[in-house]
Amino acid sequence: MTGVKEESFFNDLDLSLEEAWELLSEGATNRHSPLHTPAVGTVTSSGTPSQRIMVLRAVDRDNRRLRFNSDHRASKVADIDHGAAISVLGYHPGAKLQLRLSGIGSVQTTGPEADAAWQQASLYGQRCYLADPAPGSPVKAPTSGLDPGIEGQKPTPEQVAPARAHFAILLVEVQKIEWLYLAHGGHRRAIFYWNAAASRWDGRWLVP
């Protein structure tokens, strides 16, 4: 929770948008926040919708960006292919807010931002990218994809170093935010579009 009282944003578009960004920012830094693990949706090359739960790693409000980490061999990376539409859905029961975001996705495997994200990941987190074969590959028996010699233990930096080649960051440039507040006295719903020409968010109320 952000500490913003309900009555201060319940009927105010600007404050409702502020509350949305505050909750998203908290979701990136607080692993106990319900918005720490939103659903991320893409569209496959065959036109099929595809969703998965991902960990929200960072929020850059000034640039309207969300960051997630991914194995670059995963199917969602192929779905995005630098410039495809992407959606993010989260619900915070304590705040009684549902957030539906949509925008443009991109993937980076190299560069300062990807390098920094890799360094921020724990050794356990880095270990995930050692999976072989690639995520989503069919196998004959249940497996984590990890070598038995490294499974179930904390790896060393030397052991996880090869995993960097499989690591990527998934960036979402947010272009639209739909906000739904659930209240006994009457719900509220609003939508915000990024106005690039004016460099501002334009919002309006919707019927819940």
Side-chain angles (χ1 to χ4, degrees), residues 33 41 61-62 81-82 106 110 113-114 206:
S33 168
R61 180 175 178 178
D62 292 338
D81 193 26
H82 295 278
S106 62
T110 60
E113 195 167 358
L206 301 173

Side-chain angles (χ1 to χ4, degrees), residues 15-82:
L15 290 178
S16 294
L17 180 62
E18 181 73 22
E19 179 77 349
W21 280 110
E22 287 288 336
L23 287 170
L24 286 168
S25 296
E26 180 190 27
T29 57
N30 179 5
R31 63 187 181 91
H32 298 295
S33 168
L35 295 182
H36 188 56
T37 51
V40 178
T42 56
V43 180
T44 68
S45 58
S46 62
T48 304
S50 181
Q51 292 182 309
R52 75 285 296 161
I53 298 297
M54 297 187 71
V55 176
L56 178 60
R57 300 292 182 178
V59 172
D60 180 353
R61 180 175 178 178
D62 292 338
N63 293 303
R64 300 173 290 109
R65 288 203 317 179
L66 311 181
R67 176 173 66 80
F68 302 87
N69 296 344
S70 176
D71 191 309
H72 82 80
R73 301 169 295 172
S75 60
K76 57 181 170 291
V77 172
D79 295 346
I80 295 166
D81 193 26
H82 295 278

Side-chain angles (χ1 to χ4, degrees), residues 105-130:
S106 62
V107 175
Q108 293 181 14
T109 57
T110 60
E113 195 167 358
D115 290 340
W118 173 256
Q119 292 300 324
Q120 291 169 10
S122 69
L123 289 173
Y124 284 112
Q126 293 174 345
R127 186 184 65 176
C128 297
Y129 303 97
L130 287 172

Side-chain angles (χ1 to χ4, degrees), residues 126-176:
Q126 293 174 345
R127 186 184 65 176
C128 297
Y129 303 97
L130 287 172
D132 184 28
S137 299
V139 291
K140 294 182 179 180
T143 179
S144 67
L146 298 176
D147 186 287
I150 199 174
E151 193 173 35
Q153 63 179 328
K154 185 176 182 178
T156 66
E158 292 74 22
Q159 287 174 313
V160 299
R164 176 63 183 87
H166 299 150
F167 178 78
I169 56 173
L170 188 163
L171 302 173
V172 180
E173 182 183 306
V174 182
Q175 297 179 325
K176 182 175 72 173

